[in-house]
Amino acid sequence: MQRFLRASAAIAALGMTMALSGCGSSSGSGDVTLKVVAADYGSSPANSSEKYWNSLAKEFESKNPGIKVDVDVRSWKTVDADVAKMVREGKAPDIAQIGAYADYVKQEELYSADELLSIPTQANFLSRFADAGKVEQTQYGLPFVASTRLLFYNKGLFAQAGLSAPQNWNDIKSDAEALKEKGVPTPFALPLGAEEAQAETMMWMLSGGGGYTDTVDDAYAVDSDVNISTFEWLQTELVGKGLTGPVAPGELDRADAFKAFTSGKVGMLNGHPTMMQEAEKAGVEVGMVPLPGVNGKSKATMGVADWIMAFKQAGHREESGKFLDFTFEDKNVMDFVGQYDLLPVTYSASETMVADDEHKDLRKFLEALPTAELYPFGKTSWAGVSEDIKKNIGKAVQPGAVPSEILARIGRDATTAENAE
């Protein structure tokens, strides 16, 4: 809390010093339409992110005559690839809110934060995430929202089976077996489908003592011995024993796994804060613990940040900066994170969340955020590697597959892509 308060005071001082950091010419006078592509955080049309963005755009337009905002909200399954295609075709949006930014830095497609944001806005980002948005010490990726991940379990199903929260991998397996005996369709949901397999993969890698990169030299280590052991365990002890439900993990998307959980068909899965709200609405009582390691506490918790960035192609630097400054005002940040039970990435909004009892269920996630381990966002190869993982990691747990071969192929391609940068 004190850290947030000190930072807020510093930001206020900066605000009195200078209003805007981006100097230079604007994109010109006259009406401008900003094209914004954003990811959908909703689980159904009823809570689609489109409603938030349309409301935000309307309010911004009323305060900024001459600037229109055209928002295109797309599924997480396709939005990263869709934006990449737009950029290749010379039709980049002015602003994209997606999962990775660094490959566009390599292509010199993005404005830097210095060119876009007011100093108070830029200084307000939590330092861990501001640093994660940098390539060669310059920030291009603007953190949009964050979350940490926990193991969720259905308290009702656990009580019926006489179970308590798992403390290690053997507990996960034995609990899943007990749930299966009680007729639970999916004792442990393992979504390694295309939607967000890179997150599920990283959670299990960290749980097994590994990760995407080597802690010594930050090189890719997808096929490290510990990562291979992790996927061999998942293949033999969960998938191979019929504990992951009727849908093959490589075909199971996160959204479908979450829906099954809130309908009472899943005993355990790895989830983010948004799931609390959906489970409560469905009357499912949820227990939450960190995903345990092989023999106890995992070495690290996974943190996830999603990014927003501004492209140079259309030349709307000044207008894009105004819209981004508006987007990061506390009210707008809290409107979004409050709707989806996500975590803010600014000091002032974090302070607001800590102080508000309405968000008390999120405090344990927020407390874990400063030390959570993130994707290797700063690697310009990460977007491509992430897509490769989404498409292929599910094969590593299929019956008859050799996990070491799948991981080795992904690892080789990752290293080749990084060395080519």
Side-chain angles (χ1 to χ4, degrees), residues 129-177:
F129 292 94
D131 289 343
K134 294 178 180 177
V135 174
E136 295 181 356
Q137 307 305 311
T138 299
Q139 185 179 358
Y140 295 92
L142 314 179
F144 179 64
V145 291
S147 68
T148 51
R149 303 297 168 89
L150 295 174
L151 177 65
F152 285 57
Y153 62 95
N154 184 316
K155 282 189 172 182
L157 296 178
F158 265 56
Q160 291 172 21
L163 302 173
S164 58
Q167 301 296 313
N168 53 49
W169 283 10
N170 282 336
D171 287 350
I172 289 175
K173 182 182 73 168
S174 61
D175 288 354
E177 289 171 337

Side-chain angles (χ1 to χ4, degrees), residues 87 92-94 96 98 100-113 115-116 133 139-142 308-313:
V87 175
D94 293 286
I98 51 179
Y101 69 88
D103 54 331
Y104 299 119
V105 177
K106 175 190 65 175
Q107 301 167 35
E108 299 184 350
E109 293 280 0
L110 299 183
Y111 290 115
S112 69
E115 295 174 300
L116 293 165
Q139 185 179 358
Y140 295 92
L142 314 179
I308 192 165
M309 61 213 71
F311 288 87
K312 294 179 178 179
Q313 282 186 13

Side-chain angles (χ1 to χ4, degrees), residues 44-365:
S44 68
N47 68 344
S48 169
S49 301
E50 187 171 8
K51 295 180 180 179
Y52 168 84
W53 284 107
N54 286 340
S55 176
L56 186 74
K58 183 177 181 180
E59 185 177 355
F60 175 80
E61 290 171 352
S62 71
K63 296 179 179 180
N64 294 272
I67 306 177
K68 302 295 182 184
V69 181
D70 179 11
V71 180
D72 181 2
V73 175
R74 303 193 177 204
S75 166
W76 268 117
K77 290 182 68 172
T78 64
V79 68
D80 289 282
D82 291 346
V83 170
K85 184 173 184 288
M86 294 174 193
V87 175
R88 287 195 303 270
E89 294 177 348
K91 300 176 183 178
D94 293 286
I95 294 170
Q97 186 271 298
I98 51 179
Y101 69 88
D103 54 331
Y104 299 119
V105 177
K106 175 190 65 175
Q107 301 167 35
E108 299 184 350
E109 293 280 0
L110 299 183
Y111 290 115
S112 69
D114 288 337
E115 295 174 300
L116 293 165
L117 302 177
S118 67
I119 286 179
T121 299
Q122 193 174 352
N124 199 18
F125 292 125
L126 295 171
S127 58
R128 182 170 183 81
F129 292 94
D131 289 343
K134 294 178 180 177
V135 174
E136 295 181 356
Q137 307 305 311
T138 299
Q139 185 179 358
Y140 295 92
L142 314 179
F144 179 64
V145 291
S147 68
T148 51
R149 303 297 168 89
L150 295 174
L151 177 65
F152 285 57
Y153 62 95
N154 184 316
K155 282 189 172 182
L157 296 178
F158 265 56
Q160 291 172 21
L163 302 173
S164 58
Q167 301 296 313
N168 53 49
W169 283 10
N170 282 336
D171 287 350
I172 289 175
K173 182 182 73 168
S174 61
D175 288 354
E177 289 171 337
L179 291 167
K180 183 179 180 181
E181 289 177 4
K182 289 291 185 179
V184 176
T186 303
F188 196 109
L190 187 66
L192 293 175
E195 183 183 5
E196 206 191 24
Q198 83 285 1
E200 188 74 16
T201 297
M202 184 171 172
M203 281 181 273
W204 280 103
M205 285 181 171
L206 291 173
S207 176
Y212 281 129
T213 58
D214 189 311
T215 56
V216 176
D217 56 11
D218 198 38
Y220 281 114
V222 176
D223 59 337
S224 66
D225 290 344
V226 287
N227 289 341
I228 290 171
S229 294
T230 294
F231 273 83
E232 288 175 343
W233 186 86
L234 290 172
Q235 181 195 44
T236 59
E237 302 302 324
L238 290 187
V239 181
K241 288 183 166 54
L243 302 176
T244 53
V247 180
E251 303 298 322
L252 181 63
D253 284 337
R254 177 191 64 176
D256 293 333
F258 284 10
K259 287 178 183 176
F261 183 86
T262 57
S263 65
K265 298 177 181 178
V266 172
M268 294 176 277
L269 52 64
N270 290 312
H272 55 60
T274 303
M275 263 193 63
M276 293 189 302
Q277 185 181 103
E278 295 302 309
E280 183 179 354
K281 289 178 182 177
V284 174
E285 190 176 3
V286 175
M288 296 176 290
V289 294
L291 178 64
V294 179
N295 297 310
K297 186 177 179 181
S298 176
K299 76 164 192 173
T301 300
M302 190 184 88
V304 175
D306 298 325
W307 303 91
I308 192 165
M309 61 213 71
F311 288 87
K312 294 179 178 179
Q313 282 186 13
H316 298 150
R317 179 190 63 80
E318 184 174 322
E319 293 84 358
S320 294
K322 286 181 179 179
F323 183 71
L324 289 167
D325 273 331
F326 182 71
T327 299
F328 283 108
E329 290 181 8
D330 280 357
K331 174 186 178 299
N332 298 325
V333 170
M334 292 305 298
D335 281 351
F336 191 87
V337 299
Q339 181 176 351
Y340 297 107
D341 282 339
L342 293 166
L343 306 179
V345 291
T346 63
Y347 285 106
S348 56
S350 296
E351 181 185 42
T352 298
M353 179 171 280
V354 168
D356 190 346
D357 282 344
E358 181 181 346
H359 302 292
K360 62 183 179 181
D361 289 342
L362 290 172
R363 287 172 184 162
K364 65 175 66 175
F365 294 94

